[in-house]
Amino acid sequence: MGVYIQVLEGLLLQEQQVISSEKLAEQCEVNPSQIRKDLAYFGEFGVRGVGYYVSDLLKAIKYFLGIDRNWNCILVGVGNLGRALLRHQQLAQKGFQIQMAFDCDPFKIGERVAGHEVICTRRLKEKAQQMQIDIGLISTPPERAQRAANHMMQAGIKGIVNFAPTRINVSQDVIVDYVDFSNHLISMAFRLSHP
Amino acid sequence: MGVYIQVLEGLLLQEQQVISSEKLAEQCEVNPSQIRKDLAYFGEFGVRGVGYYVSDLLKAIKYFLGIDRNWNCILVGVGNLGRALLRHQQLAQKGFQIQMAFDCDPFKIGERVAGHEVICTRRLKEKAQQMQIDIGLISTPPERAQRAANHMMQAGIKGIVNFAPTRINVSQDVIVDYVDFSNHLISMAFRLSHP
DNA sequence: TATTTTTTGAGAAAAATTTCACAAGAATAA
DNA sequence: TTATTCTTGTGAAATTTTTCTCAAAAAATA
Ligand SMILES: NC(=O)c1ccc[n+]([C@@H]2O[C@H](COP(=O)([O-])OP(=O)(O)OC[C@H]3O[C@@H](n4cnc5c(N)ncnc54)[C@H](O)[C@@H]3O)[C@@H](O)[C@H]2O)c1
Ligand SMILES: NC(=O)c1ccc[n+]([C@@H]2O[C@H](COP(=O)([O-])OP(=O)(O)OC[C@H]3O[C@@H](n4cnc5c(N)ncnc54)[C@H](O)[C@@H]3O)[C@@H](O)[C@H]2O)c1
């Protein structure tokens, strides 16, 4: 589904107003029926004989996915990856604004990164509860990921995206999503080895 | 499959020598049959009544996936994300060593990042051909990703991992893998919106 | 040694996903 | 107006993935 958004945003920039499932499928590298099935799932957005109106379709997809609004995020672990994420303006443009950044390293606390003052992790609960935080991003070393998750749960955060390559245990009302780049490299290694 | 490695590596550290599909499944948050099917696909590694020998299983999985060797990588685009990747030692530990880093910004060329001298992208072909490079990582802005890919293809690179949120066109003997964090955030937004 | 327990490997069944095929709606051309 | 072309939405078919089940192998116990 993310691909559709990516390609449709591109079409919008090129000021293309209408696209057929066939053309969209080509750009997304999927089957046209796949696209029609996916889109039909949440409404009738196409016009027979014409195709889909790019702008309307984008709005519909975003509404369906729940990204027609802003989501408040915090980040724990201001290291190499954490800094990159804080400086990555596109996240905010897509509606995922990192509101605060935490670290436990006294040398990092107080430092400013991309307009954020790095705050001590011990103050996470207090700080995060002042604002309604929806999503927590973990970019600590793997052995600290569980601790970061615990802090987030104590602050009532219900969605955690974990960039550290380790599983974490959470109460069952919390949703965890794991991001692991190395999986992509592994997949690449596999595909290159089995031509 | 990446999850299995992650969890098995953890078990190895804890010096646990044997694990059953049931216990492994618990930690990986998947179904035990799933694990047995997956593992049986490339051999008989389990021992009935006992389970799987962690170390042997890891070796077998790594061999099967083609990550029992080193893969030479280069990176194009030494910005926020590029720097994070260059400084991320775990990649090299996993057998994906970033051998060279390229950028087109004259202010960045010559700079040293994590032991790498940033090289002008125009010299990519010449430099990359001196060493057998397997995989190219793209961390340029999206509008420059195609150009980066073209440079890589000219140097004979057959695997491209694209961190820029845009599709790229490649000749059919080149494998592309797309990494897009925002997909994870979108998925999280969706799951939080539909409880 | 015989019996019970544990746990895999794999065939069968179930579920989910993807693709096909085409009727029907909308635009265009005759 | 009528025929033709284009393209969606959807039921049916095909394929893939996941889960269930259990015989059989290995270890533990009696
Ligand atoms: N650097 C990358 O490109 C990259 C890529 C993929 C995954 N990752 C993963 O992301 C994580 C971070 O990687 P990195 O390269 O930024 O590491 P890093 O060591 O540069 O940064 C980790 C940061 O977390 C902080 N920290 C440690 N414990 C903490 C705690 N309990 N609370 C708050 N902050 C804490 C440290 O002070 C440090 O600033 C790692 O798990 C790594 O495997 C990194
Ligand atoms: N920063 C993040 O955390 C993050 C997260 C996810 C995805 N991304 C994606 O990764 C890419 C890079 O993000 P960033 O934040 O590092 O951006 P950035 O602007 O900091 O870095 C981009 C770098 O690419 C270089 N560059 C531009 N054109 C080039 C070319 N033709 N050849 C070589 N180098 C070139 C620029 O000089 C710059 O150094 C973007 O596409 C972004 O969407 C970034």
Side-chain angles (χ1 to χ4, degrees):
Chain A
M1 210 71 170
V3 197
Y4 301 165
I5 297 179
Q6 198 178 90
V7 172
L8 289 168
E9 300 263 23
L11 292 171
L12 208 62
L13 279 178
Q14 293 166 47
E15 300 189 11
Q16 188 173 334
Q17 283 167 14
V18 180
I19 191 155
S20 68
S21 60
E22 195 168 4
K23 289 280 191 312
L24 185 56
E26 212 174 276
Q27 291 201 45
C28 297
E29 295 171 81
V30 298
N31 183 297
S33 315
Q34 182 75 77
I35 292 195
R36 296 204 295 275
K37 263 271 149 63
D38 285 351
L39 300 183
Y41 181 71
F42 56 92
E44 294 199 10
F45 292 103
V47 182
R48 292 173 190 215
V50 180
Y52 298 88
Y53 288 95
V54 176
S55 166
D56 292 352
L57 181 56
L58 253 176
K59 281 198 195 104
I61 294 179
K62 287 185 175 178
Y63 172 77
F64 170 70
L65 291 176
I67 52 173
D68 57 338
R69 51 160 282 200
N70 264 70
W71 293 87
N72 287 332
C73 307
I74 60 165
L75 182 139
V76 177
V78 187
N80 301 316
L81 182 62
R83 275 167 216 277
L85 291 170
L86 285 169
R87 293 181 178 138
H88 185 45
Q89 323 91 305
Q90 285 165 279
L91 277 186
Q93 280 164 28
K94 288 176 182 165
F96 299 96
Q97 202 155 351
I98 302 180
Q99 300 289 0
M100 301 181 239
F102 298 88
D103 204 294
C104 66
D105 180 346
F107 290 102
K108 286 181 179 158
I109 293 164
E111 195 188 328
R112 290 194 80 80
V113 179
H116 297 272
E117 188 182 328
V118 178
I119 307 171
C120 176
T121 318
R122 279 180 300 190
R123 297 177 60 201
L124 194 156
K125 187 178 175 186
E126 162 210 339
K127 282 283 182 182
Q129 284 180 335
Q130 286 167 14
M131 196 182 295
Q132 178 60 52
I133 299 294
D134 307 295
I135 301 172
L137 311 177
I138 298 179
S139 55
T140 65
E143 61 275 18
R144 299 300 189 92
Q146 183 64 58
R147 198 178 302 192
N150 295 345
H151 280 295
M152 290 175 179
M153 287 191 282
Q154 271 165 34
I157 293 171
K158 298 297 181 206
I160 296 178
V161 179
N162 183 16
F163 288 85
T166 186
R167 302 281 119 179
I168 53 178
N169 293 111
V170 296
S171 46
Q172 60 151 134
D173 60 336
V174 174
I175 299 167
V176 182
D177 197 299
Y178 296 95
V179 185
D180 193 345
F181 304 0
S182 52
N183 283 346
H184 293 266
L185 287 167
I186 289 172
S187 152
M188 181 59 76
F190 178 71
R191 294 165 73 189
L192 289 171
S193 318
H194 299 77
Chain B
M1 211 70 173
V3 196
Y4 301 165
I5 297 179
Q6 199 179 90
V7 172
L8 289 167
E9 300 263 21
L11 292 170
L12 208 63
L13 279 178
Q14 293 164 47
E15 299 188 12
Q16 188 173 333
Q17 285 169 13
V18 179
I19 191 156
S20 68
S21 60
E22 195 168 5
K23 288 281 191 312
L24 185 56
E26 212 174 276
Q27 291 201 46
C28 298
E29 296 171 79
V30 298
N31 183 297
S33 312
Q34 182 76 76
I35 292 196
R36 295 205 294 275
K37 263 271 149 61
D38 286 351
L39 299 183
Y41 181 71
F42 57 92
E44 295 197 10
F45 292 103
V47 182
R48 294 173 188 212
V50 180
Y52 298 89
Y53 288 95
V54 175
S55 165
D56 292 353
L57 181 56
L58 252 176
K59 281 200 195 103
I61 293 178
K62 288 185 176 178
Y63 173 78
F64 170 70
L65 291 176
I67 51 173
D68 58 338
R69 50 161 280 200
N70 265 70
W71 292 87
N72 287 332
C73 306
I74 60 164
L75 181 139
V76 177
V78 186
N80 301 315
L81 182 62
R83 274 168 218 276
L85 291 169
L86 285 168
R87 292 182 178 137
H88 185 46
Q89 322 92 304
Q90 285 164 280
L91 278 185
Q93 279 165 27
K94 289 175 181 165
F96 299 96
Q97 201 155 350
I98 302 181
Q99 300 289 0
M100 299 180 240
F102 299 87
D103 204 294
C104 65
D105 179 347
F107 290 101
K108 286 181 177 157
I109 293 163
E111 194 189 327
R112 290 193 81 81
V113 179
H116 298 272
E117 188 181 330
V118 178
I119 307 169
C120 177
T121 318
R122 277 180 302 191
R123 297 177 60 200
L124 193 156
K125 185 178 175 186
E126 163 210 337
K127 282 284 182 181
Q129 284 181 334
Q130 286 167 15
M131 195 181 295
Q132 179 61 50
I133 298 295
D134 306 294
I135 300 172
L137 311 179
I138 298 179
S139 54
T140 65
E143 61 275 18
R144 298 301 189 90
Q146 184 63 57
R147 199 179 299 192
N150 294 345
H151 279 296
M152 290 174 178
M153 287 191 282
Q154 269 165 36
I157 293 171
K158 297 298 180 207
I160 296 178
V161 179
N162 182 15
F163 288 84
T166 187
R167 301 282 120 177
I168 53 178
N169 293 111
V170 297
S171 46
Q172 59 151 131
D173 60 336
V174 174
I175 299 167
V176 183
D177 196 299
Y178 296 95
V179 185
D180 193 345
F181 304 0
S182 52
N183 283 346
H184 293 265
L185 287 167
I186 290 172
S187 152
M188 181 59 75
F190 178 71
R191 294 165 72 189
L192 288 172
S193 319
H194 300 77

